């Protein structure tokens, strides 16, 4: 985000990495379950207030060095697999199209059945989260392995990182 904003001519003065529940999180395999929580929101409010304070005195910002933020530089290109996407339990599906509307890549077409183009799926899980009947679900070993790994290895609570 910092790099994109800078490319567009903005001068980022602060950044933060806040934590949200992972889209693969389930009751059995929680991954940052319940985040952001009350403590996170307090920190976000304080972060916002600090930025507002700094913006109130723009002259003091002139000449400040470029914002530093941690990250895995240089970025690696991520190529999503072309054969993985959520499935639909047609017996539970009520053809509401909520999944199709939630999909950011238009990978889902709702007709007689719910059809998904795996090559267009970026594994975001929006359709699974949005489905009101639980018809939309992951049933792929690759996702299962990722879910298990994350749930096992990312159990410890982590705190948001602020860059100012
Ligand atoms: S996981 Fe995301 S990209 Fe894939 S079909 Fe569902 S909403 Fe679309
Ligand atoms: S959101 Fe669920 S119930 Fe609605 S069309 Fe999609 S799979 Fe079917």
């Amino acid at each position: 985000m910092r790099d994109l904003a800078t490319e567009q001519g903005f001068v980022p003065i602060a950044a933060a990495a806040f934590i949200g529940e992972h889209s693969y999180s389930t009751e059995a395999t929680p991954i940052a379950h319940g985040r952001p929580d009350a403590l996170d929101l307090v920190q976000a409010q304080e972060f916002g207030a600090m930025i507002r304070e700094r913006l109130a005195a723009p002259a003091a910002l002139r000449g400040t060095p470029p914002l530093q933020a941690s990250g895995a530089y240089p970025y690696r290109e991520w190529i999503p697999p072309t054969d993985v996407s959520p499935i639909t339990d047609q017996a539970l599906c009520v053809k509401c199209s909520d999944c199709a509307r939630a999909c950011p890549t238009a990978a889902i077409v709702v007709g007689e059945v719910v059809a998904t183009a795996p090559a267009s799926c970026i594994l975001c899980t929006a359709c699974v989260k949005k489905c009101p009947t639980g018809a939309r679900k992951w049933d792929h070993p690759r996702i299962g392995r990722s879910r298990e790994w994350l749930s096992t290895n990312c159990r410890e609570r982590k705190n948001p990182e602020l860059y100012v």
Side-chain angles (χ1 to χ4, degrees):
M1 286 297 292
R2 177 204 57 191
D3 296 347
L4 288 172
T6 303
E7 278 169 29
Q8 298 299 316
F10 291 89
V11 180
I13 61 165
F18 282 97
I19 294 159
E21 182 167 336
H22 197 282
S23 59
Y24 294 169
S25 179
T26 66
E27 212 172 311
T29 52
I31 310 164
H33 176 69
R35 305 291 295 276
D37 58 18
L39 187 55
D40 292 320
L41 295 180
V42 167
Q43 285 182 278
Q45 274 183 334
E46 289 172 354
F47 180 62
M50 181 274 297
I51 293 171
R52 187 175 54 195
E53 208 170 290
R54 294 189 71 194
L55 288 173
L61 295 171
R62 282 198 198 100
T64 51
L67 179 67
Q68 298 298 314
S70 67
Y73 305 109
Y75 296 125
R76 283 175 300 154
E77 188 183 3
W78 181 68
I79 301 168
T82 55
D83 60 343
V84 182
S85 68
I87 59 161
T88 302
D89 183 338
Q90 306 291 345
L92 292 177
C93 177
V94 294
K95 309 284 192 327
C96 65
S97 293
D98 281 0
C99 53
R101 281 189 288 273
C103 180
T105 64
I108 304 168
V109 175
V110 180
E112 285 293 308
V113 297
V114 176
T116 310
S120 300
C121 181
I122 56 170
L123 320 182
C124 71
T125 313
C127 55
V128 177
K129 297 282 180 189
K130 202 76 184 172
C131 179
T133 66
R136 196 81 183 152
K137 55 187 89 173
W138 283 113
D139 184 30
H140 194 284
R142 179 177 175 146
I143 302 300
R145 284 195 298 273
S146 297
R147 179 180 274 153
E148 290 287 344
W149 190 93
L150 288 166
S151 183
T152 304
N153 294 285
C154 303
R155 276 185 186 279
E156 272 178 40
R157 181 189 172 84
K158 296 197 173 58
N159 290 315
E161 292 179 10
L162 309 183
Y163 309 99
V164 291

